[in-house]
């Protein structure tokens, strides 16, 4: 299976309501910070989750599967490991029909 072009953030539409513009900020709901998934993540993954939310706010709720880009935009020392965020369910691989619907909006 080939790598997906992007990932989706769990419950993005519930947490972010700006659909037709690029917000200068994102909402960080307490429900995210209080969730067991968040608490159990390594600190580096918590930072990466926030970075993913900021990036998604500029990409229609999608996080590009471009580790080098995420490294640069987040000022990280190394390319990020998205696997912990995928394993805990924060990021998901879009279904084929989801990708087609998103592509049709571009």
């Amino acid at each position: 299976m080939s790598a997906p072009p992007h990932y989706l953030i769990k419950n993005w539409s519930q947490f972010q309501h700006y659909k037709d513009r690029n917000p200068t900020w994102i909402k960080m709901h307490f429900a995210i910070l209080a969730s067991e998934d968040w608490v159990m993540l390594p600190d580096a993954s918590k930072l990466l989750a926030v970075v993913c939310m900021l990036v998604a706010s500029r990409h229609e709720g999608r996080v590009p599967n471009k580790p080098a880009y995420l490294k640069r935009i987040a000022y990280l020392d190394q390319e990020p490991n998205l696997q912990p965020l995928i394993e805990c369910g924060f990021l998901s691989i879009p279904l084929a029909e989801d990708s087609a619907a998103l592509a049709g909006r571009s």
Side-chain angles (χ1 to χ4, degrees):
M1 181 169 110
S2 65
H6 61 270
Y7 296 99
L8 301 175
I9 294 181
K10 179 181 179 179
N11 298 326
W12 180 256
S13 61
Q14 176 185 349
F15 295 129
Q16 301 301 320
H17 304 286
Y18 301 104
K19 305 210 182 345
D20 298 323
R21 55 186 168 160
N22 292 322
T24 56
W25 54 273
I26 60 169
K27 289 182 180 182
M28 186 64 149
H29 284 253
F30 183 78
I32 294 171
L33 298 175
S35 72
E36 184 177 348
D37 288 337
W38 177 270
V39 172
M40 299 308 292
L41 282 173
D43 289 345
S45 293
K46 291 175 188 172
L47 168 66
L48 187 55
V50 172
V51 167
C52 286
M53 288 187 278
L54 289 167
V55 169
S57 75
R58 301 298 175 142
H59 293 92
E60 298 180 344
R62 298 175 283 180
V63 178
N65 187 8
K66 297 180 180 180
Y69 169 71
L70 294 173
K71 174 188 173 190
R72 300 275 315 244
I73 200 158
Y75 300 96
L76 301 173
D77 294 331
Q78 57 190 0
E79 286 193 2
N81 178 8
L82 297 173
Q83 199 58 40
L85 298 179
I86 296 166
E87 289 173 2
C88 80
F90 179 79
L91 292 179
S92 65
I93 298 170
L95 301 173
E97 58 268 17
D98 293 339
S99 292
L102 285 171
R105 288 193 301 173
S106 300

